[in-house]
PDB file of all heavy atoms in Angstrom:
ATOM      1  N   TYR A 245      23.035  -6.690 -20.506  1.00  0.00           N
ATOM      2  CA  TYR A 245      21.626  -6.286 -20.436  1.00  0.00           C
ATOM      3  C   TYR A 245      21.505  -4.962 -19.704  1.00  0.00           C
ATOM      4  O   TYR A 245      20.864  -4.019 -20.164  1.00  0.00           O
ATOM      5  CB  TYR A 245      20.805  -7.373 -19.716  1.00  0.00           C
ATOM      6  CG  TYR A 245      19.365  -6.989 -19.442  1.00  0.00           C
ATOM      7  CD1 TYR A 245      18.560  -6.496 -20.458  1.00  0.00           C
ATOM      8  CD2 TYR A 245      18.817  -7.119 -18.152  1.00  0.00           C
ATOM      9  CE1 TYR A 245      17.232  -6.141 -20.197  1.00  0.00           C
ATOM     10  CE2 TYR A 245      17.495  -6.759 -17.895  1.00  0.00           C
ATOM     11  CZ  TYR A 245      16.710  -6.264 -18.917  1.00  0.00           C
ATOM     12  OH  TYR A 245      15.420  -5.907 -18.667  1.00  0.00           O
ATOM     13  N   CYS A 249      20.573  -2.164 -22.618  1.00  0.00           N
ATOM     14  CA  CYS A 249      19.141  -1.846 -22.572  1.00  0.00           C
ATOM     15  C   CYS A 249      18.912  -0.738 -21.552  1.00  0.00           C
ATOM     16  O   CYS A 249      17.989   0.061 -21.672  1.00  0.00           O
ATOM     17  CB  CYS A 249      18.321  -3.076 -22.228  1.00  0.00           C
ATOM     18  SG  CYS A 249      18.708  -4.488 -23.279  1.00  0.00           S
ATOM     19  N   CYS A 252      18.394   3.339 -21.918  1.00  0.00           N
ATOM     20  CA  CYS A 252      17.117   4.067 -22.026  1.00  0.00           C
ATOM     21  C   CYS A 252      16.198   3.879 -20.831  1.00  0.00           C
ATOM     22  O   CYS A 252      15.407   4.751 -20.522  1.00  0.00           O
ATOM     23  CB  CYS A 252      16.367   3.637 -23.276  1.00  0.00           C
ATOM     24  SG  CYS A 252      17.207   4.110 -24.788  1.00  0.00           S
ATOM     25  N   HIS A 253      16.225   2.749 -20.210  1.00  0.00           N
ATOM     26  CA  HIS A 253      15.315   2.537 -19.065  1.00  0.00           C
ATOM     27  C   HIS A 253      15.908   1.559 -18.069  1.00  0.00           C
ATOM     28  O   HIS A 253      16.835   0.814 -18.373  1.00  0.00           O
ATOM     29  CB  HIS A 253      13.940   2.053 -19.529  1.00  0.00           C
ATOM     30  CG  HIS A 253      13.975   0.899 -20.493  1.00  0.00           C
ATOM     31  ND1 HIS A 253      14.416  -0.347 -20.143  1.00  0.00           N
ATOM     32  CD2 HIS A 253      13.631   0.839 -21.804  1.00  0.00           C
ATOM     33  CE1 HIS A 253      14.327  -1.141 -21.197  1.00  0.00           C
ATOM     34  NE2 HIS A 253      13.865  -0.452 -22.226  1.00  0.00           N
ATOM     35  N   TYR A 256      13.992  -4.203 -16.860  1.00  0.00           N
ATOM     36  CA  TYR A 256      12.757  -4.943 -16.586  1.00  0.00           C
ATOM     37  C   TYR A 256      13.147  -6.327 -16.107  1.00  0.00           C
ATOM     38  O   TYR A 256      14.000  -6.974 -16.720  1.00  0.00           O
ATOM     39  CB  TYR A 256      11.922  -5.072 -17.863  1.00  0.00           C
ATOM     40  CG  TYR A 256      11.278  -3.774 -18.284  1.00  0.00           C
ATOM     41  CD1 TYR A 256      11.924  -2.912 -19.167  1.00  0.00           C
ATOM     42  CD2 TYR A 256      10.029  -3.425 -17.804  1.00  0.00           C
ATOM     43  CE1 TYR A 256      11.331  -1.715 -19.557  1.00  0.00           C
ATOM     44  CE2 TYR A 256       9.423  -2.232 -18.181  1.00  0.00           C
ATOM     45  CZ  TYR A 256      10.081  -1.374 -19.065  1.00  0.00           C
ATOM     46  OH  TYR A 256       9.500  -0.206 -19.429  1.00  0.00           O
ATOM     47  N   MET A 260       9.155 -11.189 -15.853  1.00  0.00           N
ATOM     48  CA  MET A 260       7.911 -10.486 -16.158  1.00  0.00           C
ATOM     49  C   MET A 260       7.255 -11.016 -17.423  1.00  0.00           C
ATOM     50  O   MET A 260       6.030 -10.986 -17.570  1.00  0.00           O
ATOM     51  CB  MET A 260       8.253  -8.999 -16.293  1.00  0.00           C
ATOM     52  CG  MET A 260       7.235  -8.134 -16.929  1.00  0.00           C
ATOM     53  SD  MET A 260       7.848  -6.428 -16.933  1.00  0.00           S
ATOM     54  CE  MET A 260       7.913  -6.109 -18.674  1.00  0.00           C
ATOM     55  N   TRP A 266      10.038 -12.362 -25.069  1.00  0.00           N
ATOM     56  CA  TRP A 266      11.399 -11.834 -25.243  1.00  0.00           C
ATOM     57  C   TRP A 266      11.863 -12.048 -26.680  1.00  0.00           C
ATOM     58  O   TRP A 266      12.518 -11.186 -27.262  1.00  0.00           O
ATOM     59  CB  TRP A 266      12.370 -12.474 -24.238  1.00  0.00           C
ATOM     60  CG  TRP A 266      12.111 -12.055 -22.813  1.00  0.00           C
ATOM     61  CD1 TRP A 266      11.790 -12.868 -21.775  1.00  0.00           C
ATOM     62  CD2 TRP A 266      12.138 -10.720 -22.284  1.00  0.00           C
ATOM     63  NE1 TRP A 266      11.613 -12.129 -20.624  1.00  0.00           N
ATOM     64  CE2 TRP A 266      11.815 -10.804 -20.908  1.00  0.00           C
ATOM     65  CE3 TRP A 266      12.396  -9.457 -22.824  1.00  0.00           C
ATOM     66  CZ2 TRP A 266      11.756  -9.679 -20.069  1.00  0.00           C
ATOM     67  CZ3 TRP A 266      12.332  -8.337 -22.006  1.00  0.00           C
ATOM     68  CH2 TRP A 266      12.019  -8.454 -20.656  1.00  0.00           C
ATOM     69  N   ILE A 269      10.273  -9.383 -28.691  1.00  0.00           N
ATOM     70  CA  ILE A 269      10.888  -8.067 -28.472  1.00  0.00           C
ATOM     71  C   ILE A 269      12.189  -7.983 -29.277  1.00  0.00           C
ATOM     72  O   ILE A 269      12.474  -6.986 -29.926  1.00  0.00           O
ATOM     73  CB  ILE A 269      11.126  -7.824 -26.961  1.00  0.00           C
ATOM     74  CG1 ILE A 269       9.771  -7.596 -26.281  1.00  0.00           C
ATOM     75  CG2 ILE A 269      12.055  -6.646 -26.741  1.00  0.00           C
ATOM     76  CD1 ILE A 269       9.822  -7.422 -24.780  1.00  0.00           C
ATOM     77  N   HIS A 276      11.083  -0.432 -31.489  1.00  0.00           N
ATOM     78  CA  HIS A 276      10.924  -0.763 -30.074  1.00  0.00           C
ATOM     79  C   HIS A 276      10.323   0.448 -29.360  1.00  0.00           C
ATOM     80  O   HIS A 276      11.030   1.410 -29.070  1.00  0.00           O
ATOM     81  CB  HIS A 276      12.303  -1.136 -29.505  1.00  0.00           C
ATOM     82  CG  HIS A 276      12.310  -1.453 -28.043  1.00  0.00           C
ATOM     83  ND1 HIS A 276      11.867  -2.640 -27.534  1.00  0.00           N
ATOM     84  CD2 HIS A 276      12.715  -0.720 -26.960  1.00  0.00           C
ATOM     85  CE1 HIS A 276      12.012  -2.641 -26.210  1.00  0.00           C
ATOM     86  NE2 HIS A 276      12.513  -1.478 -25.839  1.00  0.00           N
ATOM     87  N   PHE A 277       9.037   0.409 -29.130  1.00  0.00           N
ATOM     88  CA  PHE A 277       8.345   1.520 -28.459  1.00  0.00           C
ATOM     89  C   PHE A 277       8.740   2.862 -29.064  1.00  0.00           C
ATOM     90  O   PHE A 277       9.086   3.813 -28.368  1.00  0.00           O
ATOM     91  CB  PHE A 277       8.634   1.497 -26.952  1.00  0.00           C
ATOM     92  CG  PHE A 277       8.132   0.242 -26.289  1.00  0.00           C
ATOM     93  CD1 PHE A 277       8.932  -0.905 -26.234  1.00  0.00           C
ATOM     94  CD2 PHE A 277       6.851   0.176 -25.767  1.00  0.00           C
ATOM     95  CE1 PHE A 277       8.465  -2.075 -25.651  1.00  0.00           C
ATOM     96  CE2 PHE A 277       6.376  -0.988 -25.173  1.00  0.00           C
ATOM     97  CZ  PHE A 277       7.188  -2.119 -25.117  1.00  0.00           C
ATOM     98  N   GLU A 279      11.386   3.522 -30.801  1.00  0.00           N
ATOM     99  CA  GLU A 279      12.845   3.689 -30.959  1.00  0.00           C
ATOM    100  C   GLU A 279      13.362   2.639 -31.929  1.00  0.00           C
ATOM    101  O   GLU A 279      12.906   1.494 -31.908  1.00  0.00           O
ATOM    102  CB  GLU A 279      13.562   3.477 -29.617  1.00  0.00           C
ATOM    103  CG  GLU A 279      13.218   4.485 -28.549  1.00  0.00           C
ATOM    104  CD  GLU A 279      13.959   5.804 -28.741  1.00  0.00           C
ATOM    105  OE1 GLU A 279      14.926   5.852 -29.543  1.00  0.00           O
ATOM    106  OE2 GLU A 279      13.552   6.788 -28.095  1.00  0.00           O
ATOM    107  N   ILE A 281      16.330   0.254 -32.762  1.00  0.00           N
ATOM    108  CA  ILE A 281      17.551  -0.295 -32.159  1.00  0.00           C
ATOM    109  C   ILE A 281      18.156  -1.302 -33.136  1.00  0.00           C
ATOM    110  O   ILE A 281      17.474  -2.230 -33.581  1.00  0.00           O
ATOM    111  CB  ILE A 281      17.240  -0.992 -30.817  1.00  0.00           C
ATOM    112  CG1 ILE A 281      16.621   0.016 -29.835  1.00  0.00           C
ATOM    113  CG2 ILE A 281      18.491  -1.618 -30.218  1.00  0.00           C
ATOM    114  CD1 ILE A 281      16.090  -0.606 -28.566  1.00  0.00           C
ATOM    115  N   GLU A 289      22.880   4.958 -27.709  1.00  0.00           N
ATOM    116  CA  GLU A 289      21.941   4.089 -27.005  1.00  0.00           C
ATOM    117  C   GLU A 289      21.086   3.251 -27.952  1.00  0.00           C
ATOM    118  O   GLU A 289      20.529   2.235 -27.555  1.00  0.00           O
ATOM    119  CB  GLU A 289      21.053   4.891 -26.031  1.00  0.00           C
ATOM    120  CG  GLU A 289      20.191   5.927 -26.669  1.00  0.00           C
ATOM    121  CD  GLU A 289      20.663   7.323 -26.288  1.00  0.00           C
ATOM    122  OE1 GLU A 289      21.893   7.526 -26.239  1.00  0.00           O
ATOM    123  OE2 GLU A 289      19.802   8.182 -26.040  1.00  0.00           O
ATOM    124  N   ASN A 290      21.002   3.648 -29.236  1.00  0.00           N
ATOM    125  CA  ASN A 290      20.180   2.867 -30.167  1.00  0.00           C
ATOM    126  C   ASN A 290      20.986   1.760 -30.863  1.00  0.00           C
ATOM    127  O   ASN A 290      20.439   0.986 -31.629  1.00  0.00           O
ATOM    128  CB  ASN A 290      19.574   3.779 -31.224  1.00  0.00           C
ATOM    129  CG  ASN A 290      18.567   4.752 -30.620  1.00  0.00           C
ATOM    130  OD1 ASN A 290      18.904   5.487 -29.689  1.00  0.00           O
ATOM    131  ND2 ASN A 290      17.339   4.741 -31.086  1.00  0.00           N
ATOM    132  N   PHE A 301      19.418 -11.524 -24.804  1.00  0.00           N
ATOM    133  CA  PHE A 301      18.183 -12.308 -24.873  1.00  0.00           C
ATOM    134  C   PHE A 301      18.361 -13.735 -24.358  1.00  0.00           C
ATOM    135  O   PHE A 301      17.418 -14.323 -23.838  1.00  0.00           O
ATOM    136  CB  PHE A 301      17.552 -12.217 -26.272  1.00  0.00           C
ATOM    137  CG  PHE A 301      16.908 -10.871 -26.472  1.00  0.00           C
ATOM    138  CD1 PHE A 301      17.596  -9.824 -27.087  1.00  0.00           C
ATOM    139  CD2 PHE A 301      15.643 -10.620 -25.968  1.00  0.00           C
ATOM    140  CE1 PHE A 301      17.030  -8.561 -27.214  1.00  0.00           C
ATOM    141  CE2 PHE A 301      15.051  -9.364 -26.091  1.00  0.00           C
ATOM    142  CZ  PHE A 301      15.743  -8.329 -26.725  1.00  0.00           C
ATOM    143  N   LEU A 304      17.767 -13.167 -20.741  1.00  0.00           N
ATOM    144  CA  LEU A 304      16.355 -12.914 -20.419  1.00  0.00           C
ATOM    145  C   LEU A 304      15.534 -14.198 -20.536  1.00  0.00           C
ATOM    146  O   LEU A 304      14.671 -14.477 -19.695  1.00  0.00           O
ATOM    147  CB  LEU A 304      15.791 -11.829 -21.349  1.00  0.00           C
ATOM    148  CG  LEU A 304      16.366 -10.419 -21.109  1.00  0.00           C
ATOM    149  CD1 LEU A 304      15.977  -9.461 -22.235  1.00  0.00           C
ATOM    150  CD2 LEU A 304      15.887  -9.877 -19.757  1.00  0.00           C
ATOM    151  N   SER A 332       4.443  -6.632 -25.373  1.00  0.00           N
ATOM    152  CA  SER A 332       4.363  -5.835 -24.154  1.00  0.00           C
ATOM    153  C   SER A 332       3.422  -6.528 -23.173  1.00  0.00           C
ATOM    154  O   SER A 332       2.367  -7.027 -23.570  1.00  0.00           O
ATOM    155  CB  SER A 332       3.827  -4.444 -24.481  1.00  0.00           C
ATOM    156  OG  SER A 332       3.460  -3.797 -23.286  1.00  0.00           O
ATOM    157  N   ILE A 333       3.824  -6.515 -21.904  1.00  0.00           N
ATOM    158  CA  ILE A 333       2.957  -7.132 -20.897  1.00  0.00           C
ATOM    159  C   ILE A 333       1.633  -6.371 -20.809  1.00  0.00           C
ATOM    160  O   ILE A 333       0.605  -6.917 -20.432  1.00  0.00           O
ATOM    161  CB  ILE A 333       3.661  -7.189 -19.517  1.00  0.00           C
ATOM    162  CG1 ILE A 333       2.859  -8.040 -18.529  1.00  0.00           C
ATOM    163  CG2 ILE A 333       3.893  -5.803 -18.956  1.00  0.00           C
ATOM    164  CD1 ILE A 333       3.528  -8.267 -17.191  1.00  0.00           C
ATOM    165  N   SER A 360       3.984   1.252 -19.984  1.00  0.00           N
ATOM    166  CA  SER A 360       5.111   0.331 -19.857  1.00  0.00           C
ATOM    167  C   SER A 360       6.167   0.805 -18.871  1.00  0.00           C
ATOM    168  O   SER A 360       7.133   0.097 -18.607  1.00  0.00           O
ATOM    169  CB  SER A 360       5.770   0.121 -21.219  1.00  0.00           C
ATOM    170  OG  SER A 360       4.867  -0.545 -22.064  1.00  0.00           O
TER     171      SER A 360
HETATM  172  C1  HEC B   1      16.741   3.649 -27.346  1.00  0.00           C
HETATM  173  C2  HEC B   1      16.035   3.457 -26.115  1.00  0.00           C
HETATM  174  C3  HEC B   1      15.745   2.030 -25.698  1.00  0.00           C
HETATM  175  C4  HEC B   1      16.608   0.980 -25.639  1.00  0.00           C
HETATM  176  C5  HEC B   1      18.089   0.940 -25.974  1.00  0.00           C
HETATM  177  C6  HEC B   1      15.857  -0.123 -25.117  1.00  0.00           C
HETATM  178  N1  HEC B   1      14.585   0.228 -24.870  1.00  0.00           N
HETATM  179 FE1  HEC B   1      13.167  -0.942 -24.071  1.00  0.00          FE
HETATM  180  N2  HEC B   1      11.886   0.588 -24.102  1.00  0.00           N
HETATM  181  C7  HEC B   1      12.134   1.838 -24.602  1.00  0.00           C
HETATM  182  C8  HEC B   1      10.963   2.672 -24.409  1.00  0.00           C
HETATM  183  C9  HEC B   1      10.827   4.108 -24.834  1.00  0.00           C
HETATM  184  C10 HEC B   1       9.994   1.865 -23.813  1.00  0.00           C
HETATM  185  C11 HEC B   1       8.571   2.249 -23.387  1.00  0.00           C
HETATM  186  C12 HEC B   1       8.492   2.475 -21.914  1.00  0.00           C
HETATM  187  C13 HEC B   1       9.110   3.755 -21.447  1.00  0.00           C
HETATM  188  O1  HEC B   1       8.835   4.804 -22.029  1.00  0.00           O
HETATM  189  O2  HEC B   1       9.883   3.683 -20.471  1.00  0.00           O
HETATM  190  C14 HEC B   1      10.611   0.564 -23.607  1.00  0.00           C
HETATM  191  C15 HEC B   1       9.975  -0.506 -23.007  1.00  0.00           C
HETATM  192  C16 HEC B   1      10.525  -1.743 -22.844  1.00  0.00           C
HETATM  193  C17 HEC B   1       9.847  -2.865 -22.233  1.00  0.00           C
HETATM  194  C18 HEC B   1       8.476  -2.852 -21.614  1.00  0.00           C
HETATM  195  C19 HEC B   1       7.607  -3.833 -22.381  1.00  0.00           C
HETATM  196  C20 HEC B   1       6.271  -4.007 -21.799  1.00  0.00           C
HETATM  197  O3  HEC B   1       6.002  -5.140 -21.397  1.00  0.00           O
HETATM  198  O4  HEC B   1       5.444  -3.085 -21.795  1.00  0.00           O
HETATM  199  C21 HEC B   1      10.711  -3.903 -22.247  1.00  0.00           C
HETATM  200  C22 HEC B   1      10.490  -5.292 -21.710  1.00  0.00           C
HETATM  201  C23 HEC B   1      11.913  -3.451 -22.894  1.00  0.00           C
HETATM  202  N3  HEC B   1      11.765  -2.125 -23.224  1.00  0.00           N
HETATM  203  C24 HEC B   1      13.011  -4.259 -23.108  1.00  0.00           C
HETATM  204  C25 HEC B   1      14.176  -3.784 -23.655  1.00  0.00           C
HETATM  205  C26 HEC B   1      15.333  -4.601 -23.865  1.00  0.00           C
HETATM  206  C27 HEC B   1      15.422  -6.075 -23.542  1.00  0.00           C
HETATM  207  C28 HEC B   1      16.283  -3.781 -24.361  1.00  0.00           C
HETATM  208  C29 HEC B   1      17.677  -4.164 -24.746  1.00  0.00           C
HETATM  209  C30 HEC B   1      17.803  -5.139 -25.772  1.00  0.00           C
HETATM  210  C31 HEC B   1      15.720  -2.466 -24.491  1.00  0.00           C
HETATM  211  N4  HEC B   1      14.453  -2.494 -24.038  1.00  0.00           N
HETATM  212  C32 HEC B   1      16.404  -1.385 -24.943  1.00  0.00           C
HETATM  213  C33 HEC B   1      13.312   2.290 -25.105  1.00  0.00           C
HETATM  214  C34 HEC B   1      14.463   1.546 -25.216  1.00  0.00           C
END
Side-chain angles (χ1 to χ4, degrees):
Y245 173 51
C249 309
C252 294
H253 49 66
Y256 288 92
M260 165 179 118
W266 291 120
I269 289 177
H276 178 77
F277 298 87
E279 296 281 346
I281 300 171
E289 61 249 40
N290 294 55
F301 286 94
L304 291 169
S332 166
I333 190 174
S360 294

